[in-house]
mmCIF file of all heavy atoms in Angstrom:
data_model
loop_
_atom_site.group_PDB
_atom_site.id
_atom_site.type_symbol
_atom_site.label_atom_id
_atom_site.label_comp_id
_atom_site.label_asym_id
_atom_site.label_seq_id
_atom_site.Cartn_x
_atom_site.Cartn_y
_atom_site.Cartn_z
ATOM 1 N N ASP A 1 -117.260 51.840 40.122
ATOM 2 C CA ASP A 1 -115.998 51.191 40.491
ATOM 3 C C ASP A 1 -114.747 51.833 39.899
ATOM 4 O O ASP A 1 -113.644 51.341 40.111
ATOM 5 C CB ASP A 1 -116.038 49.704 40.124
ATOM 6 C CG ASP A 1 -116.223 49.457 38.630
ATOM 7 O OD1 ASP A 1 -116.466 50.422 37.867
ATOM 8 O OD2 ASP A 1 -116.129 48.288 38.223
ATOM 9 N N ARG A 2 -114.878 52.938 39.199
ATOM 10 C CA ARG A 2 -113.693 53.595 38.646
ATOM 11 C C ARG A 2 -112.872 54.240 39.756
ATOM 12 O O ARG A 2 -113.413 54.793 40.721
ATOM 13 C CB ARG A 2 -114.087 54.671 37.628
ATOM 14 C CG ARG A 2 -114.641 54.066 36.359
ATOM 15 C CD ARG A 2 -113.986 54.667 35.138
ATOM 16 N NE ARG A 2 -114.245 53.846 33.985
ATOM 17 C CZ ARG A 2 -115.151 54.106 33.043
ATOM 18 N NH1 ARG A 2 -115.872 55.203 33.117
ATOM 19 N NH2 ARG A 2 -115.300 53.286 32.036
ATOM 20 N N VAL A 3 -111.562 54.203 39.598
ATOM 21 C CA VAL A 3 -110.671 54.812 40.586
ATOM 22 C C VAL A 3 -110.938 56.308 40.675
ATOM 23 O O VAL A 3 -110.942 56.879 41.772
ATOM 24 C CB VAL A 3 -109.191 54.521 40.241
ATOM 25 C CG1 VAL A 3 -108.262 55.261 41.176
ATOM 26 C CG2 VAL A 3 -108.921 53.020 40.298
ATOM 27 N N ARG A 4 -111.193 56.953 39.549
ATOM 28 C CA ARG A 4 -111.439 58.403 39.599
ATOM 29 C C ARG A 4 -112.697 58.721 40.401
ATOM 30 O O ARG A 4 -112.762 59.756 41.064
ATOM 31 C CB ARG A 4 -111.470 59.011 38.208
ATOM 32 C CG ARG A 4 -112.702 58.742 37.405
ATOM 33 C CD ARG A 4 -112.576 59.264 36.001
ATOM 34 N NE ARG A 4 -112.047 58.212 35.180
ATOM 35 C CZ ARG A 4 -112.531 57.886 33.991
ATOM 36 N NH1 ARG A 4 -113.489 58.586 33.455
ATOM 37 N NH2 ARG A 4 -112.028 56.891 33.313
ATOM 38 N N THR A 5 -113.693 57.850 40.369
ATOM 39 C CA THR A 5 -114.903 58.062 41.169
ATOM 40 C C THR A 5 -114.545 58.028 42.650
ATOM 41 O O THR A 5 -114.986 58.883 43.424
ATOM 42 C CB THR A 5 -115.961 56.993 40.839
ATOM 43 O OG1 THR A 5 -116.276 57.060 39.441
ATOM 44 C CG2 THR A 5 -117.228 57.206 41.648
ATOM 45 N N LYS A 6 -113.728 57.070 43.029
ATOM 46 C CA LYS A 6 -113.294 56.970 44.428
ATOM 47 C C LYS A 6 -112.525 58.228 44.841
ATOM 48 O O LYS A 6 -112.753 58.784 45.923
ATOM 49 C CB LYS A 6 -112.410 55.732 44.606
ATOM 50 C CG LYS A 6 -111.939 55.523 46.013
ATOM 51 C CD LYS A 6 -111.083 54.268 46.127
ATOM 52 C CE LYS A 6 -110.566 54.103 47.531
ATOM 53 N NZ LYS A 6 -109.698 52.948 47.683
ATOM 54 N N ARG A 7 -111.617 58.698 43.960
ATOM 55 C CA ARG A 7 -110.859 59.920 44.285
ATOM 56 C C ARG A 7 -111.783 61.122 44.426
ATOM 57 O O ARG A 7 -111.623 61.940 45.332
ATOM 58 C CB ARG A 7 -109.793 60.177 43.222
ATOM 59 C CG ARG A 7 -108.592 59.271 43.336
ATOM 60 C CD ARG A 7 -107.419 59.761 42.516
ATOM 61 N NE ARG A 7 -107.668 59.817 41.096
ATOM 62 C CZ ARG A 7 -107.411 58.834 40.243
ATOM 63 N NH1 ARG A 7 -106.883 57.704 40.667
ATOM 64 N NH2 ARG A 7 -107.657 58.970 38.959
ATOM 65 N N LEU A 8 -112.769 61.233 43.526
ATOM 66 C CA LEU A 8 -113.689 62.374 43.576
ATOM 67 C C LEU A 8 -114.591 62.335 44.807
ATOM 68 O O LEU A 8 -115.019 63.379 45.296
ATOM 69 C CB LEU A 8 -114.536 62.431 42.308
ATOM 70 C CG LEU A 8 -113.772 62.858 41.049
ATOM 71 C CD1 LEU A 8 -114.603 62.593 39.809
ATOM 72 C CD2 LEU A 8 -113.356 64.314 41.127
ATOM 73 N N ARG A 9 -114.863 61.164 45.319
ATOM 74 C CA ARG A 9 -115.668 61.067 46.548
ATOM 75 C C ARG A 9 -114.898 61.637 47.744
ATOM 76 O O ARG A 9 -115.505 62.192 48.655
ATOM 77 C CB ARG A 9 -116.069 59.623 46.818
ATOM 78 C CG ARG A 9 -117.127 59.101 45.865
ATOM 79 C CD ARG A 9 -117.665 57.763 46.325
ATOM 80 N NE ARG A 9 -118.425 57.081 45.307
ATOM 81 C CZ ARG A 9 -119.642 57.381 44.906
ATOM 82 N NH1 ARG A 9 -120.266 58.413 45.435
ATOM 83 N NH2 ARG A 9 -120.254 56.674 43.978
ATOM 84 N N SER A 10 -113.564 61.493 47.733
ATOM 85 C CA SER A 10 -112.783 62.023 48.858
ATOM 86 C C SER A 10 -112.287 63.445 48.599
ATOM 87 O O SER A 10 -112.051 64.197 49.546
ATOM 88 C CB SER A 10 -111.609 61.100 49.188
ATOM 89 O OG SER A 10 -110.740 61.006 48.095
ATOM 90 N N ASP A 11 -112.121 63.824 47.342
ATOM 91 C CA ASP A 11 -111.692 65.182 46.989
ATOM 92 C C ASP A 11 -112.352 65.541 45.658
ATOM 93 O O ASP A 11 -111.901 65.095 44.600
ATOM 94 C CB ASP A 11 -110.173 65.244 46.862
ATOM 95 C CG ASP A 11 -109.658 66.655 46.606
ATOM 96 O OD1 ASP A 11 -110.463 67.551 46.229
ATOM 97 O OD2 ASP A 11 -108.447 66.873 46.754
ATOM 98 N N PRO A 12 -113.423 66.317 45.680
ATOM 99 C CA PRO A 12 -114.195 66.586 44.457
ATOM 100 C C PRO A 12 -113.570 67.592 43.486
ATOM 101 O O PRO A 12 -114.178 67.904 42.464
ATOM 102 C CB PRO A 12 -115.528 67.105 44.998
ATOM 103 C CG PRO A 12 -115.158 67.760 46.281
ATOM 104 C CD PRO A 12 -114.034 66.926 46.856
ATOM 105 N N ARG A 13 -112.358 68.046 43.773
ATOM 106 C CA ARG A 13 -111.718 68.989 42.849
ATOM 107 C C ARG A 13 -111.253 68.257 41.594
ATOM 108 O O ARG A 13 -110.751 67.133 41.657
ATOM 109 C CB ARG A 13 -110.524 69.672 43.494
ATOM 110 C CG ARG A 13 -110.893 70.593 44.641
ATOM 111 C CD ARG A 13 -109.679 71.137 45.321
ATOM 112 N NE ARG A 13 -108.875 70.031 45.863
ATOM 113 C CZ ARG A 13 -107.607 70.144 46.247
ATOM 114 N NH1 ARG A 13 -106.983 71.298 46.148
ATOM 115 N NH2 ARG A 13 -106.971 69.105 46.741
ATOM 116 N N CYS A 14 -111.398 68.930 40.457
ATOM 117 C CA CYS A 14 -111.021 68.326 39.187
ATOM 118 C C CYS A 14 -110.719 69.440 38.189
ATOM 119 O O CYS A 14 -111.400 70.462 38.161
ATOM 120 C CB CYS A 14 -112.182 67.473 38.683
ATOM 121 S SG CYS A 14 -112.010 66.888 36.996
ATOM 122 N N THR A 15 -109.693 69.229 37.384
ATOM 123 C CA THR A 15 -109.406 70.131 36.275
ATOM 124 C C THR A 15 -109.619 69.367 34.988
ATOM 125 O O THR A 15 -109.187 68.218 34.852
ATOM 126 C CB THR A 15 -107.962 70.669 36.347
ATOM 127 O OG1 THR A 15 -107.816 71.418 37.557
ATOM 128 C CG2 THR A 15 -107.643 71.559 35.154
ATOM 129 N N LEU A 16 -110.296 70.000 34.040
ATOM 130 C CA LEU A 16 -110.490 69.427 32.711
ATOM 131 C C LEU A 16 -109.632 70.199 31.718
ATOM 132 O O LEU A 16 -109.588 71.437 31.765
ATOM 133 C CB LEU A 16 -111.959 69.514 32.281
ATOM 134 C CG LEU A 16 -112.958 68.693 33.074
ATOM 135 C CD1 LEU A 16 -114.374 69.075 32.671
ATOM 136 C CD2 LEU A 16 -112.718 67.207 32.852
ATOM 137 N N TYR A 17 -108.984 69.461 30.832
ATOM 138 C CA TYR A 17 -108.221 70.051 29.738
ATOM 139 C C TYR A 17 -108.898 69.587 28.455
ATOM 140 O O TYR A 17 -108.931 68.381 28.170
ATOM 141 C CB TYR A 17 -106.765 69.576 29.789
ATOM 142 C CG TYR A 17 -105.977 69.930 28.554
ATOM 143 C CD1 TYR A 17 -105.446 71.206 28.389
ATOM 144 C CD2 TYR A 17 -105.754 69.002 27.541
ATOM 145 C CE1 TYR A 17 -104.725 71.539 27.259
ATOM 146 C CE2 TYR A 17 -105.035 69.323 26.410
ATOM 147 C CZ TYR A 17 -104.525 70.588 26.266
ATOM 148 O OH TYR A 17 -103.817 70.919 25.144
ATOM 149 N N VAL A 18 -109.462 70.531 27.707
ATOM 150 C CA VAL A 18 -110.218 70.218 26.500
ATOM 151 C C VAL A 18 -109.489 70.825 25.298
ATOM 152 O O VAL A 18 -109.476 72.051 25.138
ATOM 153 C CB VAL A 18 -111.653 70.772 26.575
ATOM 154 C CG1 VAL A 18 -112.448 70.371 25.345
ATOM 155 C CG2 VAL A 18 -112.351 70.318 27.855
ATOM 156 N N PRO A 19 -108.868 69.985 24.451
ATOM 157 C CA PRO A 19 -108.188 70.514 23.260
ATOM 158 C C PRO A 19 -109.102 70.455 22.039
ATOM 159 O O PRO A 19 -110.080 69.710 22.012
ATOM 160 C CB PRO A 19 -107.025 69.530 23.087
ATOM 161 C CG PRO A 19 -107.612 68.223 23.533
ATOM 162 C CD PRO A 19 -108.574 68.576 24.668
ATOM 163 N N ASP A 20 -108.762 71.240 21.037
ATOM 164 C CA ASP A 20 -109.416 71.057 19.740
ATOM 165 C C ASP A 20 -108.472 70.236 18.872
ATOM 166 O O ASP A 20 -107.480 69.700 19.362
ATOM 167 C CB ASP A 20 -109.821 72.391 19.107
ATOM 168 C CG ASP A 20 -108.659 73.235 18.604
ATOM 169 O OD1 ASP A 20 -107.490 72.816 18.718
ATOM 170 O OD2 ASP A 20 -108.925 74.344 18.097
ATOM 171 N N SER A 21 -108.743 70.149 17.584
ATOM 172 C CA SER A 21 -107.901 69.339 16.701
ATOM 173 C C SER A 21 -106.680 70.110 16.198
ATOM 174 O O SER A 21 -105.860 69.560 15.477
ATOM 175 C CB SER A 21 -108.713 68.837 15.506
ATOM 176 O OG SER A 21 -109.199 69.945 14.769
ATOM 177 N N ARG A 22 -106.543 71.338 16.605
ATOM 178 C CA ARG A 22 -105.396 72.140 16.191
ATOM 179 C C ARG A 22 -104.575 72.509 17.414
ATOM 180 O O ARG A 22 -104.002 71.641 18.044
ATOM 181 C CB ARG A 22 -105.869 73.377 15.433
ATOM 182 C CG ARG A 22 -106.584 72.973 14.151
ATOM 183 C CD ARG A 22 -107.071 74.185 13.400
ATOM 184 N NE ARG A 22 -107.082 73.839 11.995
ATOM 185 C CZ ARG A 22 -106.292 74.369 11.103
ATOM 186 N NH1 ARG A 22 -105.469 75.323 11.421
ATOM 187 N NH2 ARG A 22 -106.353 73.993 9.846
ATOM 188 N N PHE A 23 -104.551 73.778 17.796
ATOM 189 C CA PHE A 23 -103.739 74.207 18.931
ATOM 190 C C PHE A 23 -104.511 74.920 20.027
ATOM 191 O O PHE A 23 -103.935 75.288 21.039
ATOM 192 C CB PHE A 23 -102.584 75.100 18.442
ATOM 193 C CG PHE A 23 -101.651 74.380 17.522
ATOM 194 C CD1 PHE A 23 -101.690 74.596 16.161
ATOM 195 C CD2 PHE A 23 -100.748 73.462 18.024
ATOM 196 C CE1 PHE A 23 -100.837 73.917 15.314
ATOM 197 C CE2 PHE A 23 -99.892 72.768 17.187
ATOM 198 C CZ PHE A 23 -99.938 72.995 15.830
ATOM 199 N N ALA A 24 -105.790 75.151 19.827
ATOM 200 C CA ALA A 24 -106.589 75.816 20.859
ATOM 201 C C ALA A 24 -106.949 74.809 21.952
ATOM 202 O O ALA A 24 -107.037 73.609 21.706
ATOM 203 C CB ALA A 24 -107.856 76.416 20.248
ATOM 204 N N TRP A 25 -107.142 75.311 23.149
ATOM 205 C CA TRP A 25 -107.511 74.452 24.276
ATOM 206 C C TRP A 25 -108.199 75.289 25.331
ATOM 207 O O TRP A 25 -108.080 76.510 25.353
ATOM 208 C CB TRP A 25 -106.297 73.733 24.865
ATOM 209 C CG TRP A 25 -105.186 74.670 25.274
ATOM 210 C CD1 TRP A 25 -104.205 75.162 24.465
ATOM 211 C CD2 TRP A 25 -104.973 75.256 26.562
ATOM 212 N NE1 TRP A 25 -103.389 76.014 25.185
ATOM 213 C CE2 TRP A 25 -103.830 76.085 26.476
ATOM 214 C CE3 TRP A 25 -105.626 75.149 27.784
ATOM 215 C CZ2 TRP A 25 -103.344 76.800 27.566
ATOM 216 C CZ3 TRP A 25 -105.138 75.859 28.868
ATOM 217 C CH2 TRP A 25 -104.000 76.669 28.747
ATOM 218 N N LEU A 26 -108.928 74.600 26.195
ATOM 219 C CA LEU A 26 -109.625 75.249 27.295
ATOM 220 C C LEU A 26 -109.403 74.415 28.543
ATOM 221 O O LEU A 26 -109.573 73.193 28.514
ATOM 222 C CB LEU A 26 -111.125 75.350 26.988
ATOM 223 C CG LEU A 26 -112.017 75.974 28.058
ATOM 224 C CD1 LEU A 26 -111.641 77.434 28.305
ATOM 225 C CD2 LEU A 26 -113.483 75.867 27.643
ATOM 226 N N ALA A 27 -108.994 75.052 29.627
ATOM 227 C CA ALA A 27 -108.868 74.391 30.932
ATOM 228 C C ALA A 27 -109.992 74.907 31.822
ATOM 229 O O ALA A 27 -110.314 76.096 31.807
ATOM 230 C CB ALA A 27 -107.521 74.684 31.567
ATOM 231 N N LEU A 28 -110.584 73.984 32.579
ATOM 232 C CA LEU A 28 -111.681 74.333 33.479
ATOM 233 C C LEU A 28 -111.377 73.770 34.858
ATOM 234 O O LEU A 28 -111.223 72.548 35.013
ATOM 235 C CB LEU A 28 -113.007 73.742 32.978
ATOM 236 C CG LEU A 28 -113.399 74.131 31.550
ATOM 237 C CD1 LEU A 28 -113.160 72.961 30.618
ATOM 238 C CD2 LEU A 28 -114.835 74.556 31.497
ATOM 239 N N GLU A 29 -111.259 74.640 35.835
ATOM 240 C CA GLU A 29 -111.082 74.210 37.212
ATOM 241 C C GLU A 29 -112.481 74.042 37.802
ATOM 242 O O GLU A 29 -113.294 74.972 37.749
ATOM 243 C CB GLU A 29 -110.270 75.229 37.991
ATOM 244 C CG GLU A 29 -108.844 75.339 37.479
ATOM 245 C CD GLU A 29 -108.036 76.425 38.156
ATOM 246 O OE1 GLU A 29 -108.558 77.119 39.057
ATOM 247 O OE2 GLU A 29 -106.860 76.594 37.769
ATOM 248 N N THR A 30 -112.760 72.850 38.348
ATOM 249 C CA THR A 30 -114.117 72.521 38.737
ATOM 250 C C THR A 30 -114.190 71.819 40.087
ATOM 251 O O THR A 30 -113.181 71.356 40.617
ATOM 252 C CB THR A 30 -114.774 71.568 37.706
ATOM 253 O OG1 THR A 30 -114.230 70.251 37.858
ATOM 254 C CG2 THR A 30 -114.571 72.043 36.279
ATOM 255 N N THR A 31 -115.404 71.724 40.569
ATOM 256 C CA THR A 31 -115.764 70.834 41.661
ATOM 257 C C THR A 31 -116.815 69.886 41.087
ATOM 258 O O THR A 31 -117.740 70.331 40.395
ATOM 259 C CB THR A 31 -116.356 71.603 42.857
ATOM 260 O OG1 THR A 31 -115.387 72.538 43.331
ATOM 261 C CG2 THR A 31 -116.739 70.654 43.981
ATOM 262 N N VAL A 32 -116.663 68.595 41.364
ATOM 263 C CA VAL A 32 -117.547 67.590 40.785
ATOM 264 C C VAL A 32 -118.581 67.125 41.798
ATOM 265 O O VAL A 32 -118.252 66.806 42.940
ATOM 266 C CB VAL A 32 -116.730 66.374 40.283
ATOM 267 C CG1 VAL A 32 -117.648 65.268 39.787
ATOM 268 C CG2 VAL A 32 -115.759 66.796 39.199
ATOM 269 N N THR A 33 -119.820 67.087 41.348
ATOM 270 C CA THR A 33 -120.893 66.430 42.084
ATOM 271 C C THR A 33 -121.206 65.147 41.338
ATOM 272 O O THR A 33 -121.363 65.157 40.113
ATOM 273 C CB THR A 33 -122.156 67.322 42.149
ATOM 274 O OG1 THR A 33 -121.822 68.534 42.822
ATOM 275 C CG2 THR A 33 -123.293 66.622 42.875
ATOM 276 N N ILE A 34 -121.273 64.046 42.057
ATOM 277 C CA ILE A 34 -121.584 62.756 41.439
ATOM 278 C C ILE A 34 -123.093 62.554 41.488
ATOM 279 O O ILE A 34 -123.696 62.565 42.562
ATOM 280 C CB ILE A 34 -120.835 61.615 42.148
ATOM 281 C CG1 ILE A 34 -119.327 61.811 41.969
ATOM 282 C CG2 ILE A 34 -121.290 60.261 41.613
ATOM 283 C CD1 ILE A 34 -118.464 60.831 42.737
ATOM 284 N N LEU A 35 -123.691 62.401 40.301
ATOM 285 C CA LEU A 35 -125.127 62.150 40.193
ATOM 286 C C LEU A 35 -125.314 60.654 40.003
ATOM 287 O O LEU A 35 -124.835 60.083 39.020
ATOM 288 C CB LEU A 35 -125.721 62.916 39.008
ATOM 289 C CG LEU A 35 -125.434 64.422 38.954
ATOM 290 C CD1 LEU A 35 -126.059 65.032 37.708
ATOM 291 C CD2 LEU A 35 -125.912 65.127 40.217
ATOM 292 N N GLU A 36 -125.974 60.021 40.950
ATOM 293 C CA GLU A 36 -126.146 58.572 40.892
ATOM 294 C C GLU A 36 -127.526 58.215 41.412
ATOM 295 O O GLU A 36 -128.289 59.090 41.784
ATOM 296 C CB GLU A 36 -125.051 57.880 41.704
ATOM 297 C CG GLU A 36 -124.932 58.367 43.130
ATOM 298 C CD GLU A 36 -123.641 57.934 43.805
ATOM 299 O OE1 GLU A 36 -123.099 56.881 43.454
ATOM 300 O OE2 GLU A 36 -123.183 58.665 44.696
ATOM 301 N N GLY A 37 -127.829 56.936 41.433
ATOM 302 C CA GLY A 37 -129.127 56.500 41.914
ATOM 303 C C GLY A 37 -130.063 56.204 40.769
ATOM 304 O O GLY A 37 -129.638 56.017 39.624
ATOM 305 N N PRO A 38 -131.364 56.186 41.041
ATOM 306 C CA PRO A 38 -132.332 55.751 40.032
ATOM 307 C C PRO A 38 -132.406 56.650 38.795
ATOM 308 O O PRO A 38 -132.829 56.196 37.735
ATOM 309 C CB PRO A 38 -133.670 55.726 40.781
ATOM 310 C CG PRO A 38 -133.464 56.508 42.026
ATOM 311 C CD PRO A 38 -131.994 56.487 42.332
ATOM 312 N N ASP A 39 -131.999 57.917 38.898
ATOM 313 C CA ASP A 39 -132.036 58.826 37.743
ATOM 314 C C ASP A 39 -130.810 58.691 36.839
ATOM 315 O O ASP A 39 -130.815 59.201 35.722
ATOM 316 C CB ASP A 39 -132.141 60.284 38.211
ATOM 317 C CG ASP A 39 -133.452 60.579 38.912
ATOM 318 O OD1 ASP A 39 -134.442 59.850 38.678
ATOM 319 O OD2 ASP A 39 -133.487 61.528 39.715
ATOM 320 N N ALA A 40 -129.756 58.035 37.312
ATOM 321 C CA ALA A 40 -128.494 57.981 36.565
ATOM 322 C C ALA A 40 -128.619 57.355 35.177
ATOM 323 O O ALA A 40 -128.037 57.879 34.224
ATOM 324 C CB ALA A 40 -127.417 57.283 37.384
ATOM 325 N N PRO A 41 -129.357 56.245 34.990
ATOM 326 C CA PRO A 41 -129.464 55.704 33.627
ATOM 327 C C PRO A 41 -130.077 56.705 32.643
ATOM 328 O O PRO A 41 -129.560 56.891 31.536
ATOM 329 C CB PRO A 41 -130.343 54.460 33.807
ATOM 330 C CG PRO A 41 -130.091 54.030 35.214
ATOM 331 C CD PRO A 41 -129.945 55.328 35.980
ATOM 332 N N ALA A 42 -131.144 57.383 33.050
ATOM 333 C CA ALA A 42 -131.784 58.376 32.172
ATOM 334 C C ALA A 42 -130.864 59.572 31.942
ATOM 335 O O ALA A 42 -130.833 60.140 30.845
ATOM 336 C CB ALA A 42 -133.120 58.825 32.764
ATOM 337 N N GLN A 43 -130.099 59.971 32.958
ATOM 338 C CA GLN A 43 -129.150 61.071 32.785
ATOM 339 C C GLN A 43 -128.060 60.672 31.793
ATOM 340 O O GLN A 43 -127.648 61.484 30.957
ATOM 341 C CB GLN A 43 -128.560 61.467 34.136
ATOM 342 C CG GLN A 43 -129.578 62.135 35.038
ATOM 343 C CD GLN A 43 -129.126 62.238 36.472
ATOM 344 O OE1 GLN A 43 -128.453 61.356 36.995
ATOM 345 N NE2 GLN A 43 -129.507 63.321 37.134
ATOM 346 N N ASN A 44 -127.586 59.432 31.866
ATOM 347 C CA ASN A 44 -126.598 58.956 30.896
ATOM 348 C C ASN A 44 -127.193 58.913 29.494
ATOM 349 O O ASN A 44 -126.513 59.244 28.529
ATOM 350 C CB ASN A 44 -126.071 57.572 31.304
ATOM 351 C CG ASN A 44 -124.889 57.674 32.226
ATOM 352 O OD1 ASN A 44 -123.770 57.887 31.796
ATOM 353 N ND2 ASN A 44 -125.148 57.543 33.526
#
C-alpha cells in the first residue's frame, strides 16, 4: 500500500542516493522489480 510501490508499478525507474556519515556518496540509477507473493516474507 505504499505510494512509492504504486509509482514503481507504473514507472519502475528509480534513483538511489546513498550517503556515508561524512561527505562521500553514491548515486545509483536503477530499474526496480517488485518481488512479492509467497516468497516475500522469507526474502524480507
Side-chain angles (χ1 to χ4, degrees):
D1 61 352
R2 290 229 164 102
V3 174
R4 75 186 91 134
T5 301
K6 181 179 177 182
R7 284 194 298 268
L8 288 168
R9 288 190 194 285
S10 62
D11 185 344
R13 293 175 300 164
C14 170
T15 298
L16 294 171
Y17 169 81
V18 183
D20 71 0
S21 61
R22 297 179 151 247
F23 298 104
W25 55 275
L26 178 63
L28 304 105
E29 295 175 1
T30 74
T31 300
V32 175
T33 299
I34 296 174
L35 307 179
E36 54 194 331
D39 294 337
Q43 291 166 325
N44 272 279

